[in-house]
Amino acid sequence: MLIEGPLKIAVLDDPEQPGRELHISFTSEFQSLEQSGQANDFTEYLQLLGRSIESLSEGDPNRAGMLIVQQIAEQLLPHLQTGDLEISETIIVEMGRDYASDSLMGLLNS
């Protein structure tokens, strides 16, 4: 399930490393908004993401991956609201190799 939004997410998956890296950046359209517009758009994105997750069954392979994106986005929101986040920089999140990261890989590849 593709959720259009302000984030661009890529995964660095080196089999020789113990985990994976998520590379998260913001779209240029999102970056061009005023800070209050960014906060509003990101809040709407989180709401859409939440509704999409709720619509999936517990066993849906995309659900765990979407939950990861939701958790990261929830952590970013307060920093966007206060303007404390440098949105022109790429954020790198390290994660293990498990069902959730496999689900995220599948979600990003669909």
Side-chain angles (χ1 to χ4, degrees):
M1 174 180 283
L2 179 64
I3 303 289
E4 294 292 329
L7 299 178
K8 295 186 289 186
I9 303 172
V11 178
L12 178 62
D13 186 20
D14 184 347
E16 302 206 6
Q17 298 297 321
R20 295 175 169 135
E21 287 183 358
L22 295 181
H23 291 230
I24 302 169
S25 57
F26 292 91
T27 64
S28 56
E29 296 84 10
F30 184 79
Q31 291 181 36
S32 69
L33 296 172
E34 295 291 323
Q35 190 264 325
S36 61
Q38 292 171 351
N40 289 337
D41 275 16
F42 206 74
T43 299
E44 290 174 12
Y45 170 69
L46 265 171
Q47 291 169 350
L48 173 62
L49 191 57
R51 288 191 302 271
S52 297
I53 291 168
E54 288 175 8
S55 72
L56 298 175
S57 69
E58 290 288 326
D60 190 298
N62 289 326
R63 185 179 173 90
M66 290 173 70
L67 283 168
I68 290 172
V69 173
Q70 181 186 43
Q71 290 168 353
I72 292 169
E74 287 173 342
Q75 296 299 312
L76 296 175
L77 179 60
H79 303 284
L80 280 169
Q81 291 171 327
T82 59
D84 293 336
L85 188 62
E86 181 53 60
I87 64 170
S88 63
E89 299 290 325
T90 298
I91 300 165
I92 298 175
V93 177
E94 293 184 14
M95 58 188 290
R97 292 181 183 278
D98 56 13
Y99 173 75
S101 69
D102 289 344
S103 173
L104 183 59
M105 293 286 292
L107 180 66
L108 294 174
N109 290 327
S110 59

